[in-house]
Every structure is written in C-alpha cells, then in structure tokens.
Amino acid sequence: MVYTAITGRFRVVIIGPARMLTAVYTFLLEFHHKAMTIRTILEFPDPRLRTTAAPVATVDKRIRHLLDDMLETMYEAKGIGLAATQIDVHERIVVMDLSEERDSPLILINPEVEIIGDGQLEHDEGCLSVPGFYETVSRPDCIRLRALNEKGEAFELEPDGLQAVCIQHELDHLNGKLFVDYLSALKRQRIRKKLEKLHRQSA
Ligand code: QAP
Ligand code: CO
C-alpha cells in the first residue's frame, strides 16, 4: 500500500520498509563516494592488451576505488576473473570470484607465482577479452601465489584446480599475454578474424 498526500509543493509518499531501505542505500551509494563504475573491457586483438603492467606502489583510496570498479565490471560481465589490463589500466591488480554465489571476491595486488611442482593441468579457458571462445590450455598444476590484499597486507596461497588456472591466466594479462597465445597460430588467427569482423559490425 502506498499512501500519497499532497502538501503544498511536496508530495509525501509513505513507503514500506523494503523500499525505504532501497532508498537509503541508493542515497548512501550516491553521496558516500562509493558509487562504482562499469568499465569498458578491451577485446582481442586490441594492442593495449599487450601492455606490461607496473607494480602498485601503495594500496590507497585510489586503488580501492579501482578495485570496486573492477569487481563491478567483472560481476556485470559474469566473469570469474579480471585483470586491470583488460580495462586499460596498466597496474598489477587482479580481481577474481570463483564462488557459485558470486560473493567471495579474491583480490591480488602485485601477484607473483612460483611453480613448485612438476605436474601440468589441462583446462578449458575463456576470457572476457576474447568473448565467445573457449579452448583447452595446459598450465603448471602446483604453484605458490604471493600477493597483497586490498589493505596492502601480504598473503600466500597454494591454489589448485580452477583457482590455479585462473590465477595464472590473470597474471598473464598483467604481462600482456592472452590464453590464445598458447593455441596454434591457425586457431589464434581464426579467433582474431571472427572478433575483428564482429568489431567492424558493431562500429
Ligand atoms: C579466466 O575468464 C578463466 O567468452 C576468466 O562470452 C576462464 O571470466 C580462467 C566470459 C576460464 C580459467 C578458466 C567469457 C564471459 C568470462 C566469455 C572469464 C563470455 C562471457 C570469462
Ligand atoms: Co582473461
């Protein structure tokens, strides 16, 4: 039930608790400098994807704002990982979320990977910068990750399975490398031609 009263120039609307909460949340988003922006994702074969990203010197407000935008952009695109390179920001930052519920972000700042075992793992990979294409890639299975979190604190992880694959895929982006680089030149060229055609059509 919505009750409306006209009081002079103002319309007073009495709303339910759910809508009230939504209104308060919208207000906080707009006026608390927490507003996030969905950024444009570069697509293969854009040469900017070949840039080597620079280390983050200090994890400050600017970096945390960028992390918010990256998470928003990744969730909106229904991705599981996004590197700053993909939104044309050439700093060593990655966001990931492998959870079904999309509520467990993992943030990697200045990530470094060390291979600590012999095994290889084959996995089908896709990429928000190579939309619509999925191919099998083989990568080291046993790795150790060292990175900083959103507070600038160092942490370590020994991921396996999809998490190990995704971390290596995202770290490649920071070095200007794409999963299509592991495919044959013929496959890569086919993907490039199809994406170039799509880009022409939408231009
Ligand atoms: C990297 O990729 C990854 O083609 C993250 O139409 C992917 O989030 C690592 C996506 C798989 C390991 C395994 C791709 C969304 C998302 C598309 C992604 C698409 C829509 C890719
Ligand atoms: Co990617």
Tab-separated table of all heavy atoms in Angstrom, residues 58-95:
chain	number	residue	atom	x	y	z
A	58	THR	N	51.598	1.897	-3.548
A	58	THR	CA	50.865	1.913	-2.268
A	58	THR	C	49.397	1.614	-2.520
A	58	THR	O	48.796	2.145	-3.449
A	58	THR	CB	50.956	3.285	-1.550
A	58	THR	OG1	50.925	4.317	-2.543
A	58	THR	CG2	52.193	3.406	-0.712
A	59	VAL	N	48.832	0.766	-1.663
A	59	VAL	CA	47.418	0.408	-1.770
A	59	VAL	C	46.620	1.483	-1.023
A	59	VAL	O	46.437	1.413	0.190
A	59	VAL	CB	47.154	-0.997	-1.201
A	59	VAL	CG1	45.689	-1.373	-1.369
A	59	VAL	CG2	48.063	-2.024	-1.875
A	60	ASP	N	46.184	2.486	-1.779
A	60	ASP	CA	45.490	3.632	-1.183
A	60	ASP	C	44.040	3.716	-1.665
A	60	ASP	O	43.527	2.784	-2.264
A	60	ASP	CB	46.257	4.927	-1.493
A	60	ASP	CG	46.512	5.103	-2.985
A	60	ASP	OD1	45.869	4.377	-3.801
A	60	ASP	OD2	47.337	5.947	-3.356
A	61	LYS	N	43.408	4.853	-1.397
A	61	LYS	CA	41.999	5.060	-1.745
A	61	LYS	C	41.774	4.922	-3.246
A	61	LYS	O	40.779	4.337	-3.683
A	61	LYS	CB	41.558	6.457	-1.276
A	61	LYS	CG	40.138	6.499	-0.738
A	61	LYS	CD	39.807	7.840	-0.099
A	61	LYS	CE	39.239	8.824	-1.108
A	61	LYS	NZ	38.888	10.126	-0.528
A	62	ARG	N	42.712	5.437	-4.037
A	62	ARG	CA	42.591	5.354	-5.498
A	62	ARG	C	42.554	3.894	-5.951
A	62	ARG	O	41.741	3.519	-6.795
A	62	ARG	CB	43.785	6.076	-6.161
A	62	ARG	CG	43.773	6.037	-7.680
A	62	ARG	CD	45.016	6.698	-8.278
A	62	ARG	NE	46.227	5.936	-8.038
A	62	ARG	CZ	46.659	4.938	-8.813
A	62	ARG	NH1	45.984	4.583	-9.878
A	62	ARG	NH2	47.774	4.284	-8.511
A	63	ILE	N	43.414	3.055	-5.353
A	63	ILE	CA	43.466	1.634	-5.714
A	63	ILE	C	42.174	0.941	-5.272
A	63	ILE	O	41.604	0.134	-6.013
A	63	ILE	CB	44.700	0.948	-5.077
A	63	ILE	CG1	45.995	1.572	-5.609
A	63	ILE	CG2	44.678	-0.565	-5.301
A	63	ILE	CD1	46.269	1.359	-7.090
A	64	ARG	N	41.679	1.275	-4.063
A	64	ARG	CA	40.438	0.640	-3.579
A	64	ARG	C	39.244	1.037	-4.437
A	64	ARG	O	38.357	0.224	-4.687
A	64	ARG	CB	40.221	0.953	-2.094
A	64	ARG	CG	41.067	0.046	-1.185
A	64	ARG	CD	40.716	0.212	0.282
A	64	ARG	NE	41.206	1.467	0.811
A	64	ARG	CZ	42.437	1.633	1.318
A	64	ARG	NH1	43.269	0.617	1.397
A	64	ARG	NH2	42.827	2.816	1.758
A	65	HIS	N	39.230	2.260	-4.932
A	65	HIS	CA	38.178	2.698	-5.855
A	65	HIS	C	38.254	1.903	-7.159
A	65	HIS	O	37.236	1.444	-7.698
A	65	HIS	CB	38.297	4.208	-6.116
A	65	HIS	CG	37.276	4.717	-7.068
A	65	HIS	ND1	37.545	4.974	-8.390
A	65	HIS	CD2	35.954	4.968	-6.886
A	65	HIS	CE1	36.437	5.373	-8.985
A	65	HIS	NE2	35.463	5.390	-8.107
A	66	LEU	N	39.478	1.724	-7.643
A	66	LEU	CA	39.691	0.932	-8.859
A	66	LEU	C	39.235	-0.514	-8.657
A	66	LEU	O	38.599	-1.111	-9.538
A	66	LEU	CB	41.188	0.999	-9.222
A	66	LEU	CG	41.682	0.257	-10.448
A	66	LEU	CD1	40.948	0.691	-11.698
A	66	LEU	CD2	43.188	0.496	-10.609
A	67	LEU	N	39.522	-1.083	-7.473
A	67	LEU	CA	39.093	-2.454	-7.159
A	67	LEU	C	37.561	-2.564	-7.196
A	67	LEU	O	37.013	-3.555	-7.715
A	67	LEU	CB	39.615	-2.877	-5.778
A	67	LEU	CG	41.117	-3.183	-5.699
A	67	LEU	CD1	41.565	-3.249	-4.249
A	67	LEU	CD2	41.444	-4.488	-6.428
A	68	ASP	N	36.865	-1.561	-6.646
A	68	ASP	CA	35.395	-1.547	-6.691
A	68	ASP	C	34.905	-1.594	-8.143
A	68	ASP	O	34.003	-2.361	-8.479
A	68	ASP	CB	34.842	-0.280	-6.022
A	68	ASP	CG	34.856	-0.365	-4.502
A	68	ASP	OD1	34.987	-1.491	-3.968
A	68	ASP	OD2	34.729	0.689	-3.857
A	69	ASP	N	35.497	-0.757	-8.988
A	69	ASP	CA	35.106	-0.719	-10.405
A	69	ASP	C	35.390	-2.053	-11.089
A	69	ASP	O	34.590	-2.528	-11.902
A	69	ASP	CB	35.859	0.394	-11.147
A	69	ASP	CG	35.313	1.780	-10.836
A	69	ASP	OD1	34.363	1.881	-10.032
A	69	ASP	OD2	35.837	2.758	-11.398
A	70	MET	N	36.546	-2.647	-10.770
A	70	MET	CA	36.910	-3.923	-11.401
A	70	MET	C	35.938	-5.025	-10.996
A	70	MET	O	35.513	-5.824	-11.839
A	70	MET	CB	38.350	-4.308	-11.033
A	70	MET	CG	39.395	-3.460	-11.751
A	70	MET	SD	41.076	-3.855	-11.234
A	70	MET	CE	41.239	-5.516	-11.879
A	71	LEU	N	35.583	-5.072	-9.706
A	71	LEU	CA	34.635	-6.100	-9.241
A	71	LEU	C	33.272	-5.899	-9.907
A	71	LEU	O	32.672	-6.856	-10.411
A	71	LEU	CB	34.507	-6.063	-7.717
A	71	LEU	CG	35.680	-6.693	-6.967
A	71	LEU	CD1	35.646	-6.320	-5.491
A	71	LEU	CD2	35.677	-8.220	-7.117
A	72	GLU	N	32.817	-4.650	-9.933
A	72	GLU	CA	31.525	-4.338	-10.561
A	72	GLU	C	31.532	-4.756	-12.035
A	72	GLU	O	30.570	-5.351	-12.522
A	72	GLU	CB	31.267	-2.828	-10.422
A	72	GLU	CG	29.895	-2.345	-10.842
A	72	GLU	CD	28.820	-2.639	-9.815
A	72	GLU	OE1	29.065	-3.443	-8.889
A	72	GLU	OE2	27.731	-2.055	-9.941
A	73	THR	N	32.631	-4.446	-12.711
A	73	THR	CA	32.761	-4.763	-14.137
A	73	THR	C	32.782	-6.278	-14.354
A	73	THR	O	32.104	-6.800	-15.251
A	73	THR	CB	34.035	-4.111	-14.710
A	73	THR	OG1	33.975	-2.704	-14.471
A	73	THR	CG2	34.194	-4.370	-16.206
A	74	MET	N	33.538	-6.997	-13.497
A	74	MET	CA	33.613	-8.459	-13.619
A	74	MET	C	32.260	-9.115	-13.350
A	74	MET	O	31.824	-9.991	-14.114
A	74	MET	CB	34.654	-9.014	-12.639
A	74	MET	CG	34.725	-10.533	-12.660
A	74	MET	SD	35.848	-11.192	-11.418
A	74	MET	CE	34.905	-10.940	-9.927
A	75	TYR	N	31.575	-8.695	-12.274
A	75	TYR	CA	30.275	-9.306	-11.941
A	75	TYR	C	29.248	-9.018	-13.034
A	75	TYR	O	28.481	-9.900	-13.420
A	75	TYR	CB	29.775	-8.809	-10.574
A	75	TYR	CG	30.525	-9.386	-9.392
A	75	TYR	CD1	31.047	-8.568	-8.405
A	75	TYR	CD2	30.698	-10.772	-9.265
A	75	TYR	CE1	31.731	-9.098	-7.314
A	75	TYR	CE2	31.378	-11.309	-8.175
A	75	TYR	CZ	31.890	-10.465	-7.202
A	75	TYR	OH	32.557	-10.997	-6.133
A	76	GLU	N	29.253	-7.802	-13.547
A	76	GLU	CA	28.276	-7.430	-14.573
A	76	GLU	C	28.488	-8.259	-15.843
A	76	GLU	O	27.532	-8.620	-16.516
A	76	GLU	CB	28.402	-5.934	-14.870
A	76	GLU	CG	27.182	-5.325	-15.520
A	76	GLU	CD	27.303	-5.175	-17.022
A	76	GLU	OE1	28.425	-5.303	-17.554
A	76	GLU	OE2	26.265	-4.925	-17.658
A	77	ALA	N	29.762	-8.552	-16.153
A	77	ALA	CA	30.090	-9.323	-17.357
A	77	ALA	C	30.005	-10.836	-17.111
A	77	ALA	O	30.268	-11.625	-18.011
A	77	ALA	CB	31.486	-8.954	-17.841
A	78	LYS	N	29.656	-11.239	-15.898
A	78	LYS	CA	29.549	-12.643	-15.494
A	78	LYS	C	30.872	-13.390	-15.648
A	78	LYS	O	30.918	-14.561	-16.036
A	78	LYS	CB	28.429	-13.355	-16.272
A	78	LYS	CG	27.087	-12.623	-16.142
A	78	LYS	CD	25.910	-13.548	-16.343
A	78	LYS	CE	24.576	-12.801	-16.325
A	78	LYS	NZ	24.439	-11.884	-15.167
A	79	GLY	N	31.971	-12.690	-15.315
A	79	GLY	CA	33.290	-13.303	-15.378
A	79	GLY	C	33.700	-13.875	-14.034
A	79	GLY	O	33.093	-13.579	-12.998
A	80	ILE	N	34.761	-14.704	-14.050
A	80	ILE	CA	35.327	-15.239	-12.807
A	80	ILE	C	36.663	-14.576	-12.478
A	80	ILE	O	37.196	-14.750	-11.388
A	80	ILE	CB	35.494	-16.779	-12.850
A	80	ILE	CG1	36.401	-17.215	-14.003
A	80	ILE	CG2	34.126	-17.456	-12.950
A	80	ILE	CD1	36.786	-18.694	-13.935
A	81	GLY	N	37.186	-13.813	-13.436
A	81	GLY	CA	38.448	-13.121	-13.205
A	81	GLY	C	38.596	-11.942	-14.148
A	81	GLY	O	38.097	-11.981	-15.270
A	82	LEU	N	39.256	-10.892	-13.644
A	82	LEU	CA	39.505	-9.701	-14.468
A	82	LEU	C	40.820	-9.063	-14.023
A	82	LEU	O	41.029	-8.841	-12.825
A	82	LEU	CB	38.350	-8.696	-14.314
A	82	LEU	CG	38.455	-7.415	-15.146
A	82	LEU	CD1	38.079	-7.674	-16.604
A	82	LEU	CD2	37.564	-6.311	-14.572
A	83	ALA	N	41.682	-8.776	-14.984
A	83	ALA	CA	42.940	-8.078	-14.695
A	83	ALA	C	42.779	-6.625	-15.115
A	83	ALA	O	42.052	-6.312	-16.063
A	83	ALA	CB	44.081	-8.737	-15.466
A	84	ALA	N	43.470	-5.709	-14.410
A	84	ALA	CA	43.348	-4.274	-14.688
A	84	ALA	C	43.654	-3.958	-16.157
A	84	ALA	O	43.015	-3.096	-16.755
A	84	ALA	CB	44.267	-3.486	-13.753
A	85	THR	N	44.625	-4.692	-16.732
A	85	THR	CA	44.982	-4.539	-18.143
A	85	THR	C	43.740	-4.560	-19.045
A	85	THR	O	43.669	-3.810	-20.024
A	85	THR	CB	45.904	-5.719	-18.549
A	85	THR	OG1	46.964	-5.810	-17.608
A	85	THR	CG2	46.430	-5.568	-19.965
A	86	GLN	N	42.773	-5.413	-18.692
A	86	GLN	CA	41.585	-5.596	-19.534
A	86	GLN	C	40.679	-4.365	-19.561
A	86	GLN	O	39.850	-4.223	-20.454
A	86	GLN	CB	40.782	-6.821	-19.065
A	86	GLN	CG	41.520	-8.136	-19.291
A	86	GLN	CD	40.749	-9.302	-18.716
A	86	GLN	OE1	40.855	-9.607	-17.535
A	86	GLN	NE2	39.940	-9.950	-19.546
A	87	ILE	N	40.818	-3.487	-18.558
A	87	ILE	CA	40.063	-2.226	-18.589
A	87	ILE	C	41.006	-1.060	-18.885
A	87	ILE	O	40.709	0.088	-18.552
A	87	ILE	CB	39.233	-1.993	-17.304
A	87	ILE	CG1	40.107	-2.008	-16.041
A	87	ILE	CG2	38.114	-3.036	-17.188
A	87	ILE	CD1	39.425	-1.367	-14.829
A	88	ASP	N	42.146	-1.374	-19.497
A	88	ASP	CA	43.106	-0.357	-19.958
A	88	ASP	C	43.753	0.411	-18.806
A	88	ASP	O	44.111	1.570	-18.964
A	88	ASP	CB	42.412	0.609	-20.950
A	88	ASP	CG	43.400	1.317	-21.875
A	88	ASP	OD1	44.535	0.817	-22.035
A	88	ASP	OD2	43.024	2.373	-22.426
A	89	VAL	N	43.890	-0.258	-17.664
A	89	VAL	CA	44.630	0.309	-16.532
A	89	VAL	C	45.848	-0.585	-16.341
A	89	VAL	O	45.707	-1.778	-16.080
A	89	VAL	CB	43.777	0.333	-15.244
A	89	VAL	CG1	44.615	0.761	-14.038
A	89	VAL	CG2	42.574	1.266	-15.413
A	90	HIS	N	47.049	-0.019	-16.486
A	90	HIS	CA	48.228	-0.877	-16.571
A	90	HIS	C	49.014	-0.910	-15.265
A	90	HIS	O	50.165	-0.514	-15.179
A	90	HIS	CB	49.027	-0.492	-17.817
A	90	HIS	CG	48.145	-0.633	-19.029
A	90	HIS	ND1	47.765	-1.868	-19.534
A	90	HIS	CD2	47.448	0.289	-19.741
A	90	HIS	CE1	46.923	-1.692	-20.537
A	90	HIS	NE2	46.702	-0.401	-20.686
A	91	GLU	N	48.289	-1.406	-14.249
A	91	GLU	CA	48.839	-1.609	-12.907
A	91	GLU	C	48.563	-3.058	-12.511
A	91	GLU	O	47.573	-3.654	-12.957
A	91	GLU	CB	48.182	-0.635	-11.923
A	91	GLU	CG	48.422	0.805	-12.335
A	91	GLU	CD	47.911	1.809	-11.329
A	91	GLU	OE1	48.493	1.875	-10.240
A	91	GLU	OE2	46.937	2.521	-11.647
A	92	ARG	N	49.437	-3.613	-11.607
A	92	ARG	CA	49.387	-5.062	-11.347
A	92	ARG	C	48.303	-5.394	-10.316
A	92	ARG	O	48.565	-5.570	-9.133
A	92	ARG	CB	50.789	-5.570	-10.941
A	92	ARG	CG	51.837	-5.253	-12.036
A	92	ARG	CD	53.168	-5.914	-11.817
A	92	ARG	NE	53.200	-7.304	-12.211
A	92	ARG	CZ	53.329	-7.756	-13.463
A	92	ARG	NH1	53.426	-6.909	-14.476
A	92	ARG	NH2	53.352	-9.041	-13.706
A	93	ILE	N	47.068	-5.469	-10.822
A	93	ILE	CA	45.887	-5.709	-9.995
A	93	ILE	C	44.974	-6.710	-10.702
A	93	ILE	O	44.717	-6.599	-11.900
A	93	ILE	CB	45.094	-4.407	-9.751
A	93	ILE	CG1	46.002	-3.314	-9.185
A	93	ILE	CG2	43.899	-4.654	-8.841
A	93	ILE	CD1	45.344	-1.956	-9.129
A	94	VAL	N	44.474	-7.689	-9.911
A	94	VAL	CA	43.558	-8.721	-10.423
A	94	VAL	C	42.395	-8.863	-9.445
A	94	VAL	O	42.598	-8.794	-8.227
A	94	VAL	CB	44.311	-10.076	-10.548
A	94	VAL	CG1	43.359	-11.249	-10.690
A	94	VAL	CG2	45.319	-10.036	-11.693
A	95	VAL	N	41.190	-9.061	-9.958
A	95	VAL	CA	40.071	-9.478	-9.113
A	95	VAL	C	39.542	-10.805	-9.644
A	95	VAL	O	39.564	-11.049	-10.855
A	95	VAL	CB	38.925	-8.429	-9.034
A	95	VAL	CG1	39.412	-7.144	-8.385
A	95	VAL	CG2	38.312	-8.144	-10.403
